[in-house]
Amino acid sequence: MEKFTMDSFNIYTQSDVLALTNQRDGEVKLGEKILTVSNLDEIEKSNAKFVLLGIPEDIGVRANLGVAGAKTAWLAALKSLLNMQSNNFLVGDEILVLGHFEIDEPTDTSLQGLREKVNQIDALVYPIIQKIVSVGKIPIVIGGGHNNAFPIISGTSMGKGNKKMNVVNIDAHADLRNRAEGRHSGNSFSTAIGSGYLNQYQIFGLQQNYVNQNLADEIAASPNIKAFYFEDLLQSQKSIVENFTAFTANLKEPCGLEIDLDGIENVLSSAQTSSGFGLNEIRKILMANTKNYSYLHICEGATELADGRKDSKTGKTIAYLVSDFVKALRPRIYQQP
């Protein structure tokens, strides 16, 4: 793996990808078809429209007083994706596996130290996202904490010529906490709004039990923030897909899609829930997608948490979502000049 600036980003070689792929006679896996590059300048020349990269860190989660473990999702998700079958439904050469960020543990692990480290992660992530977007590709980012939404939004905005982003976040939480607290996984969207990168922000599946009154009032009063509460979805006669499609109908491009895995039932995360979306409901949303999203960010999942909880299925859960996103968006993206 070639190391890019400051030993902070590892670019994967084809050998790296094949080492994670379980090859078998009579079968072709995605890992045998997925593309790689030797440097960032080659991204533009690649025929792949989707660029997959990982941010295996949980510093932002810990800076938000959460349980460590989100750094474990990337490798498990990548292995699961690479070992899916290559076929007419998804060949694999639509995707370029770029690599992952290497983020060192800060020497100061106090709350203040962790939050300062998140600022450093922001500065590390956004230029790579900007580069990917500026050459017409779509980043698919696997985290890591939801703190990384801010550098993904800002990097995408810059890559689009400083156009303000619109974002829909499938999440049980709003992540609109006070910016003055210092950076962490709970204030990416308030930071993006305050920094001028985010215009319309919509939260789908926000849970009433995790919204303080001040935040509920702020959402109700804001013309740029909308929420579709999970409790209202439970009482709706319409399907999840119908509700999501109607909720996001007026969300204009450029638009990003965020999926926080703590909104999906029984997926291991710092804020794991027993009441939330079913995995297949989120898959249906992705399969029915008609928007040309500028990026996909899947975050907060884990295969192992610091408190000892483990779940090996998280990687496969993420791989399902990535494959569904690509399959739905691919036909329109490849028709563009």
Side-chain angles (χ1 to χ4, degrees):
M1 298 179 183
E2 177 187 334
K3 292 205 170 183
F4 176 73
T5 62
M6 299 184 297
D7 291 337
S8 56
F9 191 81
N10 283 346
I11 295 178
Y12 288 14
T13 66
Q14 186 178 33
S15 296
D16 295 326
V17 170
L18 290 176
L20 300 173
T21 305
N22 299 322
Q23 296 171 275
R24 182 179 293 177
D25 290 342
E27 298 181 358
V28 180
K29 302 289 183 66
L30 291 183
E32 298 173 72
K33 292 291 187 177
I34 269 174
L35 305 181
T36 59
V37 293
S38 60
N39 59 69
L40 295 178
D41 290 332
E42 291 182 4
I43 297 174
E44 183 175 11
K45 301 174 185 176
S46 174
N47 290 328
K49 297 293 188 180
F50 302 89
V51 178
L52 183 69
L53 64 160
I55 314 179
E57 60 81 33
D58 51 29
I59 294 166
V61 173
R62 290 153 54 200
N64 195 27
L65 303 177
V67 181
K71 64 184 178 182
T72 62
W74 159 246
L75 186 57
L78 180 61
K79 285 181 178 179
S80 292
L81 183 69
L82 295 178
N83 285 290
M84 287 180 169
Q85 296 289 334
S86 171
N87 51 38
N88 290 337
F89 304 105
L90 184 64
V91 175
D93 59 3
E94 308 93 334
I95 302 170
L96 187 159
V97 175
L98 185 59
H100 74 265
F101 291 92
E102 287 222 351
I103 297 168
D104 294 332
E105 183 71 11
T107 53
D108 179 5
T109 56
S110 69
L111 200 60
Q112 181 178 353
L114 292 173
R115 291 178 176 181
E116 177 53 38
K117 182 67 176 183
V118 176
N119 283 320
Q120 297 172 21
I121 296 171
D122 291 346
L124 178 67
V125 170
Y126 86 80
I128 304 292
I129 301 300
Q130 179 183 4
K131 176 67 175 180
I132 294 167
V133 174
S134 69
V135 296
K137 309 299 185 182
I138 299 172
I140 299 176
V141 187
I142 297 172
H146 219 156
N147 46 290
N148 296 306
F150 171 58
I152 294 170
I153 292 167
S154 60
T156 303
S157 172
M158 294 176 193
K160 293 280 186 182
N162 294 317
K163 291 182 180 178
K164 279 196 172 186
M165 292 295 299
N166 300 304
V167 171
V168 56
N169 179 24
I170 301 174
D171 199 344
H173 310 94
D175 293 338
L176 285 167
R177 291 186 180 277
N178 194 331
R179 297 169 62 199
E181 294 178 354
R183 284 284 291 122
H184 54 66
S185 64
N187 61 12
S188 267
F189 300 103
S190 47
T191 302
I193 292 170
S195 301
Y197 295 110
L198 179 57
N199 181 28
Q200 293 290 321
Y201 175 47
Q202 299 188 187
I203 314 116
F204 187 74
L206 181 62
Q207 295 203 12
Q208 294 172 358
N209 294 338
Y210 300 105
V211 179
N212 65 55
Q213 189 59 55
N214 289 337
L215 178 56
D217 293 342
E218 176 187 349
I219 292 171
S222 174
N224 290 355
I225 303 173
K226 296 181 181 179
F228 200 135
Y229 286 97
F230 186 75
E231 288 76 8
D232 292 332
L233 286 169
L234 291 178
Q235 299 176 70
S236 174
Q237 298 302 309
K238 296 180 180 179
S239 70
I240 293 291
V241 171
E242 288 173 324
N243 278 308
F244 183 84
T245 301
F247 180 60
T248 59
N250 296 322
L251 202 61
K252 299 186 183 303
E253 300 175 12
C255 182
L257 177 59
E258 301 272 341
I259 301 176
D260 189 322
L261 294 177
D262 66 22
I264 303 178
E265 289 181 358
N266 302 317
V267 174
L268 189 64
S269 68
S270 176
Q272 184 175 3
T273 186
S274 58
S275 177
F277 294 108
L279 173 58
N280 287 343
E281 290 178 320
I282 304 302
R283 294 192 67 192
K284 286 179 181 179
I285 286 173
L286 292 175
M287 291 176 182
N289 170 47
T290 58
K291 285 190 179 294
N292 293 327
Y293 287 111
S294 297
Y295 74 80
L296 171 67
H297 179 208
I298 302 173
C299 60
E300 297 284 335
T303 59
E304 183 175 355
L305 294 175
D307 60 13
R309 285 178 287 164
K310 298 180 181 181
D311 191 340
S312 61
K313 300 188 298 297
T314 305
K316 184 172 283 189
T317 293
I318 297 171
Y320 275 127
L321 300 178
V322 171
S323 63
D324 293 337
F325 177 79
V326 172
K327 287 176 185 178
L329 192 53
R330 174 189 55 188
R332 296 191 302 281
I333 294 300
Y334 275 90
Q335 288 172 2
Q336 296 179 0

